[in-house]
């Protein structure tokens, strides 16, 4: 009786099988890498957005509680599209620091100058600066827009240059995108903040 034995793989079959396995492994590795990159990208975007919201909460408190400086200067020292300077008790020590918020590149920063000397002054060289938010992509779009006491939510903001005595409310808009070259797309985090000390009909 004749016995039959299964044939082994030919060299061609081995090469084809190895090629297929290599292609599948490469595809799987690529998909996994893309998945991790997307996850990292989404995480960075969420962290930037949360950082922006946290910063706006802090800024809102400072603006709402703003007061004249310790030497009697007006509550608001300067107001422009990418920066605002005012006085507030930023460190809860009872004094009123000079607070400067400004956009530098893709970062929103805050500079603080403590009152010093007698008579009181705010030496520019004493300013300490910290970064509040990164990944800001406002470009030419203003970070700060200003409204007077007739604010209703529908009228146009005050025009530049700003007359600071007319300002009663600040609108802050931050366009957040940790990496503009990749998805997800940018998101705008914004809020309105009224100066309580300057409040009339707001």
């Amino acid at each position: 009786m004749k016995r039959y034995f299964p044939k082994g793989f030919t060299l061609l079959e081995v090469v084809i099988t190895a090629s297929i396995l290599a292609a599948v492994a490469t595809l799987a590795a690529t998909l996994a890498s893309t998945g991790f990159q997307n996850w990292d990208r989404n995480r960075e975007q969420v962290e930037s957005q949360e950082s922006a919201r946290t910063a706006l909460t802090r800024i809102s408190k400072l603006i709402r509680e703003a007061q004249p400086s310790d030497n009697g200067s007006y509550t608001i020292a300067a107001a422009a599209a990418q920066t605002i300077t005012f006085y507030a008790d930023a460190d809860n020590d009872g004094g009123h620091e000079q607070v400067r918020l400004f956009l530098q590149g893709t970062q929103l920063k805050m500079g603080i100058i403590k009152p010093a000397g007698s008579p009181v002054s705010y030496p520019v060289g004493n300013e300490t600066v910290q970064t509040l938010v990164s990944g800001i992509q406002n470009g030419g779009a203003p970070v700060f827009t200003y409204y007077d006491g007739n604010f209703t939510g529908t009228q146009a903001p005050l025009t530049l240059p700003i007359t600071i005595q007319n300002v009663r409310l600040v609108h802050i808009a931050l366009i957040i995108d940790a990496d503009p070259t990749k998805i997800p797309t940018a998101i705008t985090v914004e809020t309105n903040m009224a100066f309580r000390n300057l409040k009339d009909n707001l």
Side-chain angles (χ1 to χ4, degrees):
M1 183 173 177
K2 209 172 193 181
R3 301 179 66 186
Y4 295 93
F5 296 94
K7 293 182 179 180
F9 290 109
T10 66
L11 179 59
L12 179 59
E13 291 172 329
V14 170
V15 170
I16 292 174
T17 302
S19 298
I20 293 172
L21 290 175
V24 171
T26 300
L27 178 60
T30 301
L31 291 174
S33 176
T34 301
F36 284 124
Q37 289 174 1
N38 288 339
W39 185 87
D40 283 341
R41 165 69 179 141
N42 288 329
R43 177 182 53 79
E44 290 174 359
Q45 186 76 329
V46 168
E47 288 177 351
S48 294
Q49 292 169 17
E50 288 304 312
S51 175
R53 293 188 177 97
T54 299
L56 289 186
T57 298
R58 181 180 181 187
I59 293 169
S60 294
K61 182 176 185 296
L62 289 173
I63 287 179
R64 285 197 306 267
E65 298 176 357
Q67 298 284 335
S69 73
D70 285 0
N71 61 17
S73 296
Y74 190 67
T75 301
I76 304 171
Q82 310 292 15
T83 183
I84 181 172
T85 303
F86 58 93
Y87 299 95
D89 186 2
D91 55 8
N92 298 313
D93 65 349
H96 296 98
E97 288 73 37
Q98 179 178 287
V99 180
R100 180 170 69 102
L101 302 170
F102 61 100
L103 183 66
Q104 186 175 74
T106 59
Q107 297 181 326
L108 180 67
K109 296 187 175 184
M110 179 169 68
I112 293 178
I113 303 176
K114 294 183 67 66
S118 181
V120 171
S121 65
Y122 293 85
V124 175
N126 292 354
E127 184 181 47
T128 59
V129 177
Q130 61 179 293
T131 298
L132 299 179
V133 188
S134 297
I136 299 175
Q137 307 297 334
N138 280 57
V143 173
F144 307 99
T145 49
Y146 306 90
Y147 297 85
D148 59 21
N150 298 315
F151 178 76
T152 63
T154 59
Q155 79 275 27
L158 297 173
T159 57
L160 297 172
I162 300 296
T163 301
I164 58 175
Q165 287 78 12
N166 292 339
V167 175
R168 295 294 179 271
L169 180 140
V170 183
H171 176 81
I172 299 183
L174 302 175
I175 302 172
I176 305 295
D177 195 346
D179 188 344
T181 65
K182 300 176 182 177
I183 58 171
T185 56
I187 185 172
T188 300
V189 179
E190 55 191 327
T191 190
N192 295 324
M193 309 165 191
F195 288 90
R196 290 178 179 169
N197 179 57
L198 304 177
K199 185 176 180 180
D200 37 42
N201 66 330
L202 284 176

